[in-house]
Coordinates of all heavy atoms in Angstrom, one line a residue:
M1 N -10.1 -21.5 10.2 CA -9.4 -20.5 11.0 C -9.0 -20.9 12.4 O -8.5 -20.1 13.2 CB -10.2 -19.2 11.1 CG -10.6 -18.6 9.7 SD -9.1 -17.9 8.9 CE -8.9 -16.4 9.9
Q2 N -9.1 -22.2 12.7 CA -8.8 -22.7 14.1 C -7.3 -22.5 14.4 O -7.0 -22.0 15.5 CB -9.2 -24.1 14.2 CG -10.6 -24.4 14.2 CD -11.2 -24.7 12.9 OE1 -10.4 -24.6 11.9 NE2 -12.4 -24.9 12.8
A3 N -6.4 -22.7 13.5 CA -5.0 -22.5 13.7 C -4.7 -21.1 13.9 O -3.8 -20.7 14.8 CB -4.2 -23.1 12.6
V4 N -5.3 -20.2 13.1 CA -5.0 -18.8 13.3 C -5.5 -18.3 14.6 O -4.9 -17.5 15.2 CB -5.7 -18.0 12.1 CG1 -5.7 -16.6 12.3 CG2 -5.1 -18.4 10.7
M5 N -6.7 -18.7 15.0 CA -7.2 -18.3 16.3 C -6.4 -18.7 17.5 O -6.3 -18.1 18.5 CB -8.6 -18.8 16.5 CG -9.6 -18.3 15.4 SD -9.8 -16.5 15.4 CE -10.8 -16.3 16.8
A6 N -5.6 -19.8 17.4 CA -4.9 -20.4 18.5 C -3.4 -19.9 18.4 O -2.6 -20.2 19.3 CB -4.9 -21.9 18.5
S7 N -3.0 -19.2 17.4 CA -1.6 -18.9 17.2 C -1.2 -17.5 17.7 O -2.1 -16.7 18.1 CB -1.3 -18.9 15.7 OG -2.0 -17.9 15.0
D8 N 0.1 -17.3 17.8 CA 0.6 -16.0 18.2 C 0.7 -15.0 17.0 O 0.4 -13.8 17.2 CB 2.0 -16.1 18.8 CG 2.0 -17.0 20.0 OD1 1.1 -16.8 20.8 OD2 2.9 -17.9 20.2
F9 N 1.0 -15.6 15.9 CA 1.1 -14.8 14.6 C 0.3 -15.5 13.6 O 0.2 -16.7 13.5 CB 2.5 -14.6 14.2 CG 3.4 -13.9 15.2 CD1 4.2 -14.6 16.0 CD2 3.4 -12.5 15.2 CE1 5.0 -13.9 16.9 CE2 4.2 -11.8 16.1 CZ 5.0 -12.6 17.0
A10 N -0.3 -14.7 12.7 CA -1.1 -15.3 11.6 C -0.6 -14.8 10.3 O -0.3 -13.6 10.1 CB -2.6 -14.9 11.8
I11 N -0.5 -15.6 9.3 CA -0.1 -15.2 7.9 C -1.1 -15.9 7.0 O -1.7 -16.9 7.3 CB 1.4 -15.7 7.6 CG1 1.5 -17.2 7.9 CG2 2.3 -14.8 8.4 CD1 3.0 -17.6 7.5
S12 N -1.2 -15.3 5.8 CA -2.2 -15.8 4.9 C -1.6 -16.9 4.0 O -2.4 -17.8 3.5 CB -2.7 -14.7 3.9 OG -1.7 -14.0 3.2
R13 N -0.4 -16.9 3.7 CA 0.3 -17.9 2.9 C 1.6 -18.3 3.5 O 2.3 -17.6 4.2 CB 0.6 -17.4 1.5 CG -0.6 -16.9 0.7 CD -1.2 -18.1 -0.1 NE -2.3 -17.6 -0.9 CZ -3.5 -17.9 -0.6 NH1 -3.9 -18.5 0.5 NH2 -4.5 -17.4 -1.3
F14 N 2.0 -19.5 3.2 CA 3.3 -20.1 3.7 C 4.5 -19.2 3.3 O 5.5 -19.1 4.0 CB 3.5 -21.5 3.4 CG 4.6 -22.2 4.2 CD1 4.4 -22.6 5.5 CD2 5.8 -22.4 3.5 CE1 5.5 -23.2 6.1 CE2 6.8 -23.0 4.2 CZ 6.7 -23.4 5.5
K15 N 4.4 -18.7 2.1 CA 5.5 -17.9 1.5 C 5.8 -16.6 2.4 O 6.9 -16.1 2.2 CB 5.3 -17.5 0.1 CG 4.1 -16.6 -0.2 CD 3.9 -16.3 -1.6 CE 2.8 -15.3 -1.9 NZ 2.6 -15.0 -3.2
H16 N 4.8 -16.2 3.2 CA 5.0 -15.0 4.0 C 5.8 -15.2 5.2 O 6.2 -14.3 6.0 CB 3.7 -14.3 4.4 CG 2.9 -13.9 3.2 ND1 3.3 -13.0 2.2 CD2 1.6 -14.3 2.8 CE1 2.4 -12.8 1.3 NE2 1.4 -13.6 1.7
L17 N 6.1 -16.5 5.5 CA 6.9 -16.9 6.7 C 8.3 -16.3 6.7 O 8.8 -15.8 7.7 CB 7.0 -18.4 6.8 CG 7.7 -18.9 8.0 CD1 6.9 -18.6 9.3 CD2 7.8 -20.4 7.9
K18 N 9.0 -16.3 5.5 CA 10.3 -15.7 5.4 C 10.3 -14.2 5.8 O 11.2 -13.9 6.6 CB 10.8 -15.9 4.0 CG 12.2 -15.4 3.7 CD 12.6 -15.7 2.2 CE 14.0 -15.3 2.0 NZ 14.4 -15.4 0.6
K19 N 9.4 -13.5 5.3 CA 9.3 -12.0 5.7 C 9.0 -11.8 7.2 O 9.6 -11.0 7.9 CB 8.4 -11.3 4.8 CG 8.4 -9.8 5.0 CD 7.6 -9.0 4.0 CE 7.8 -7.6 4.2 NZ 7.0 -6.8 3.3
L20 N 8.1 -12.7 7.7 CA 7.7 -12.6 9.1 C 8.9 -12.8 10.0 O 9.2 -12.1 11.0 CB 6.6 -13.6 9.4 CG 6.2 -13.6 10.9 CD1 5.5 -12.4 11.3 CD2 5.3 -14.8 11.1
L21 N 9.7 -13.9 9.7 CA 10.9 -14.2 10.6 C 12.0 -13.2 10.4 O 12.6 -12.7 11.3 CB 11.2 -15.6 10.3 CG 10.3 -16.7 10.7 CD1 10.8 -18.1 10.4 CD2 10.0 -16.6 12.2
L22 N 12.5 -13.1 9.1 CA 13.7 -12.4 8.8 C 13.5 -10.9 9.0 O 14.5 -10.1 9.4 CB 14.2 -12.8 7.4 CG 14.6 -14.2 7.2 CD1 15.1 -14.4 5.8 CD2 15.7 -14.6 8.2
V23 N 12.4 -10.3 8.5 CA 12.3 -8.9 8.6 C 11.7 -8.4 9.8 O 12.3 -7.7 10.6 CB 11.5 -8.4 7.3 CG1 11.3 -6.9 7.4 CG2 12.2 -8.8 6.0
H24 N 10.4 -8.8 10.0 CA 9.7 -8.3 11.2 C 10.3 -8.9 12.5 O 10.3 -8.2 13.6 CB 8.2 -8.7 11.1 CG 7.5 -8.0 10.0 ND1 7.2 -6.6 10.0 CD2 7.2 -8.4 8.8 CE1 6.7 -6.3 8.8 NE2 6.6 -7.4 8.1
G25 N 10.8 -10.1 12.5 CA 11.5 -10.6 13.7 C 12.7 -9.8 14.0 O 13.0 -9.6 15.2
H26 N 13.5 -9.4 13.0 CA 14.7 -8.7 13.3 C 14.4 -7.3 13.8 O 15.0 -6.8 14.8 CB 15.5 -8.5 12.0 CG 16.7 -7.7 12.1 ND1 18.0 -8.1 12.6 CD2 16.9 -6.4 11.9 CE1 18.8 -7.2 12.6 NE2 18.2 -6.1 12.2
W27 N 13.4 -6.7 13.2 CA 13.0 -5.3 13.6 C 12.4 -5.4 15.1 O 12.8 -4.5 15.9 CB 12.0 -4.7 12.7 CG 12.5 -4.2 11.4 CD1 13.8 -4.0 11.1 CD2 11.7 -4.0 10.2 NE1 13.9 -3.6 9.8 CE2 12.6 -3.6 9.2 CE3 10.4 -4.0 9.9 CZ2 12.2 -3.2 7.9 CZ3 10.0 -3.7 8.7 CH2 10.9 -3.2 7.7
C28 N 11.6 -6.3 15.3 CA 11.0 -6.4 16.7 C 12.1 -6.7 17.7 O 12.1 -6.0 18.8 CB 10.0 -7.6 16.7 SG 9.1 -7.8 18.3
Y29 N 13.1 -7.6 17.4 CA 14.1 -7.8 18.4 C 15.0 -6.6 18.6 O 15.3 -6.2 19.8 CB 15.0 -9.0 17.8 CG 16.1 -9.4 18.8 CD1 15.7 -10.3 19.8 CD2 17.4 -8.9 18.7 CE1 16.7 -10.7 20.7 CE2 18.3 -9.3 19.6 CZ 18.0 -10.3 20.6 OH 18.9 -10.7 21.5
A30 N 15.3 -5.8 17.6 CA 16.1 -4.6 17.7 C 15.3 -3.6 18.5 O 15.9 -2.9 19.4 CB 16.5 -4.0 16.4
R31 N 14.1 -3.4 18.3 CA 13.3 -2.5 19.0 C 13.1 -2.8 20.5 O 13.2 -1.9 21.4 CB 11.9 -2.4 18.4 CG 11.8 -1.7 17.1 CD 10.4 -1.8 16.5 NE 10.4 -1.3 15.1 CZ 9.6 -1.7 14.2 NH1 8.7 -2.6 14.5 NH2 9.6 -1.2 13.0
L32 N 12.9 -4.0 20.8 CA 12.8 -4.5 22.1 C 14.1 -4.3 22.9 O 14.1 -3.9 24.1 CB 12.3 -5.9 22.2 CG 10.9 -6.2 21.9 CD1 10.6 -7.7 21.9 CD2 10.0 -5.5 22.9
A33 N 15.2 -4.6 22.3 CA 16.5 -4.4 22.9 C 16.7 -2.9 23.3 O 17.2 -2.6 24.4 CB 17.6 -4.9 22.1
K34 N 16.3 -2.0 22.4 CA 16.5 -0.6 22.6 C 15.5 -0.1 23.7 O 15.9 0.8 24.5 CB 16.3 0.2 21.4 CG 17.5 0.1 20.4 CD 17.2 0.8 19.1 CE 18.4 0.5 18.1 NZ 18.1 1.1 16.8
M35 N 14.3 -0.6 23.7 CA 13.4 -0.2 24.7 C 13.7 -0.7 26.1 O 13.5 0.0 27.0 CB 12.0 -0.8 24.3 CG 11.4 -0.2 23.1 SD 11.0 1.6 23.0 CE 12.0 2.5 24.0
V36 N 14.3 -1.8 26.3 CA 14.8 -2.3 27.5 C 15.8 -1.4 28.1 O 15.8 -0.9 29.3 CB 15.3 -3.7 27.5 CG1 16.0 -4.1 28.7 CG2 14.2 -4.7 27.2
I37 N 16.8 -1.0 27.3 CA 17.8 0.0 27.7 C 17.2 1.4 28.1 O 17.6 2.0 29.0 CB 18.9 0.1 26.6 CG1 19.6 -1.1 26.4 CG2 19.8 1.3 26.9 CD1 20.6 -1.2 25.3
Y38 N 16.2 1.8 27.2 CA 15.5 3.1 27.5 C 14.8 3.0 28.9 O 14.9 4.0 29.7 CB 14.6 3.4 26.4 CG 13.7 4.6 26.7 CD1 14.2 5.9 26.6 CD2 12.3 4.4 27.2 CE1 13.4 7.0 27.0 CE2 11.6 5.5 27.5 CZ 12.1 6.8 27.4 OH 11.3 7.8 27.7
F39 N 14.1 1.9 29.1 CA 13.3 1.9 30.4 C 14.3 1.8 31.6 O 14.0 2.4 32.6 CB 12.4 0.8 30.4 CG 11.1 1.0 29.6 CD1 10.8 0.3 28.5 CD2 10.3 2.1 29.9 CE1 9.7 0.5 27.7 CE2 9.2 2.4 29.1 CZ 8.9 1.6 28.1
F40 N 15.4 1.1 31.5 CA 16.4 1.1 32.6 C 16.9 2.5 32.8 O 17.0 2.9 33.9 CB 17.5 0.1 32.3 CG 17.2 -1.3 32.7 CD1 17.4 -2.3 31.7 CD2 16.9 -1.6 33.9 CE1 17.1 -3.6 32.1 CE2 16.7 -2.9 34.3 CZ 16.7 -3.9 33.4
Y41 N 17.2 3.2 31.8 CA 17.8 4.6 31.9 C 16.7 5.5 32.5 O 17.0 6.3 33.4 CB 18.2 5.1 30.5 CG 18.5 6.6 30.5 CD1 19.7 7.0 31.1 CD2 17.6 7.5 30.0 CE1 20.0 8.4 31.1 CE2 17.9 8.9 30.0 CZ 19.1 9.3 30.6 OH 19.4 10.6 30.6
K42 N 15.5 5.4 32.1 CA 14.4 6.2 32.6 C 14.2 5.9 34.1 O 14.1 6.9 34.9 CB 13.1 6.0 31.9 CG 11.9 6.7 32.4 CD 10.6 6.3 31.8 CE 10.2 5.0 32.5 NZ 8.9 5.0 33.1
N43 N 14.1 4.7 34.5 CA 13.9 4.4 35.9 C 15.0 4.7 36.8 O 14.8 5.1 37.9 CB 13.5 2.9 35.9 CG 12.1 2.6 35.4 OD1 11.2 3.5 35.5 ND2 11.8 1.5 34.9
V44 N 16.3 4.5 36.3 CA 17.4 4.8 37.1 C 17.5 6.3 37.3 O 17.7 6.8 38.4 CB 18.7 4.3 36.4 CG1 19.9 4.9 37.0 CG2 18.8 2.8 36.5
S45 N 17.2 7.1 36.3 CA 17.3 8.5 36.5 C 16.2 9.0 37.5 O 16.4 9.9 38.2 CB 17.2 9.3 35.1 OG 15.9 9.0 34.5

């Protein structure tokens, strides 16, 4: 478990890499982009 303990993300099998990058990566990017806009709006108001 040394690699898992030192990593940012952990997966159990190499085949899960596709879902981690394409699905969760896309969702995370979209959420972060919307949250940045939301926080700018909140602080400006």
Side-chain angles (χ1 to χ4, degrees):
M1 298 292 287
Q2 290 89 356
V4 171
M5 299 300 283
S7 65
D8 299 316
F9 299 98
I11 55 177
S12 60
R13 300 266 182 261
F14 191 77
K15 67 179 182 178
H16 300 303
L17 181 65
K18 182 178 180 182
K19 188 172 183 181
L20 175 70
L21 293 177
L22 295 179
V23 176
H24 296 287
H26 176 86
W27 285 344
C28 183
Y29 187 82
R31 289 174 187 150
L32 285 175
K34 289 177 184 173
M35 292 298 27
V36 167
I37 292 171
Y38 171 76
F39 282 118
F40 274 122
Y41 171 75
K42 177 191 77 125
N43 288 328
V44 164
S45 63

